[in-house]
Amino acid sequence: MEDEEMEKKVQQYLHRKGFRLTELALQEERNRLSTTSLSDVSLSRSDNDPARYYDGYNKLRTWAYSSLDQYKHELLRVLYPVFIHCFMDLVAEGHAQEARSFFHTFREDHELMHSRDLQKLEGILSPLHLEEMDLARSLRENKFRIKLCEYSYELLLQYLQKTQALVMLGIINERIIFEVSAGQPSLISDDVDVVALVGTSKDLAKQINQKEVHWGLLEDSVEERMEKALSDSDKTEAESKDADAEDNNKKKSSEGGKQGGPLKKLKKDKVVGATGKNNKSETSMVSAAPRVKPELTLPAMPIEVEQSILEDLRNRAQLNNLALPSVSFYTFLNTHNGLNCSSISNDGSLVVGGFSDSSVKVWDMAKTGQPAKTSSSQAQNGSSQGEHLSSTFEGKRPYTLFQGHSGPVYSAAFSPSGDFLLSSSSDSTIRLWSTKLNANLVCYKGHNYPVWDVQFSPVGHYFASASHDRTARIWSMDKIQPLRIMAGHLADVDCVQWHVNCNYIATGSSDKTVRLWDVQTGECIRMFIGHRSMVLSLAMSPDGRYMASGDEDGTIMMWDLSTGRCVSPLAGHNSCVWSLAFSCEGALLASGSADCTVKLWDVASSTKALKMDDTKAGSTNRLRLLKALPTKSTPVYNLRFSRRNLLFATGTLSLGSKA
């Protein structure tokens, strides 16, 4: 029996039995239910009205812009995530035309800070695009973290309650996590990490950054043994000088000569020598770094390699803001669309390039620049005829050709000794090559998507990779499977860098964050938030305390690993920062960019000021630009300081341009 027929029968029964009051109560209940159902239908129709997003966002925007200046810049932070999710909700509900109109109407508000995200989201035209685009999927699966002071947060809540802005309230409640702090609003100049995308899990940056990081150098390193040997030799030399001086003084006193002058001179020389040594040690951040034990089983260093390192340390030039390094720049000619990556060996003797035709080419700098220089330059083209020469002309080829990948090569890196070479490709593999045998030794398979970056550890044997599959992996040369998988980024892992003590690796991602991972546990122990575009380059300071990161917009940020805070953000370039490198004693930072410049920054003065006043916010410090070295039209691909503090750089020059 149908519900309507059942109710009719019940009403007839009550009427027949004379239950008048019960019949009236049933009638009122039926009328109330019908009224409620009609209101539900009208409400559902209004819920599907695309204009509610436009009206709700426009009112919120007007209110935020009309707020007091003291709180306005904090309240405006809420607009970007609300704008993004209003647009994506309209697309998801099938209102494509209204979504486009909404996007273009309010896009200008966020063009300055989030232009690259807006360029990507502009291509979303249907609900299917929301599922296919990585950025859109990441935005819908995770929440924004926004920092507000307590009073700004209360103002926002009062507005939402007073206006009954249900759509805006729903988006803010579902898509935003607020970090409310007591006290006054933050300064606009400190607005570097106030809006960031975080995972929906409890593993937030604040909780992660409370973990302990042992950022020092390895015990019993070559540098430490060198310092001990130098100190011992200095003591022996000083003792012998003292003994000689005493003998001379005894002779002079027996002869009746004056001894006051020589004694004063000897004391003065000893004081000057000690002061000079102290000044030299103060300029080096490495000597003051604490020592830590390795978490990985490190390989034994060959004697000849250790001797080579010691020789380089003895001949190392001391760099500072007054003594800048010499720069050797290598240019690849006519490879603008063929060269994807380049790298330089530790001593600068070898240069490698990874090309779109899946080839890897290594140049020996000792053989470059000889009589066949013109043909050598032309042969650097990714599609050069040198690849197709017969074996009789093999000796005339200006480079060593490695072939094995089945897709474009995106990264290449030499081992610390230069005996081995790693390359990664879009074919999802990593290959190990021998520069002595000129042969492929191993093909490592583990990633499921293109591998963007690969880097050897500072001691060799171990290496790390970064991939489109959102993971970084740690490998050893003698095993074909990864030892650790670091998962947690919300988008591609674009770059990877080892810590100097080999206990940690850092990863930069398209999700605009940098993470530090423990190689033993595979856990994320630091999350650095502040970049507004994908992170493309990383560098570790020689003492292991600081890390520099560069992004797609040209911003460079230096982080303190011990505290997890930003030391000095700066807009150093006007295009992608592709490479960063610290000098060997840590006093200088070099950056290479797509804006065709190499820039040198004064790190020592910034970190010294930070140590003198740890109570101040790190973002108030700025690295001082010491020198900009421009090229006419050659983007800088890679930078490296040799052990002797000579700076090497590589770049590519397109056809028809002048170097």
Side-chain angles (χ1 to χ4, degrees), residues 296 474 484 486 498 502-505 517-522:
L296 293 173
I474 296 177
R484 294 287 184 275
M486 282 70 173
W498 283 84
C502 301
N503 292 337
Y504 310 102
I505 66 166
W517 309 82
D518 189 321
V519 299
Q520 188 63 35
T521 63

Side-chain angles (χ1 to χ4, degrees), residues 176-193:
I176 299 177
I177 298 174
F178 290 102
E179 284 191 7
V180 182
S181 59
Q184 295 296 318
S186 60
L187 299 175
I188 299 179
S189 59
D190 296 337
D191 192 12
V192 294
D193 60 345

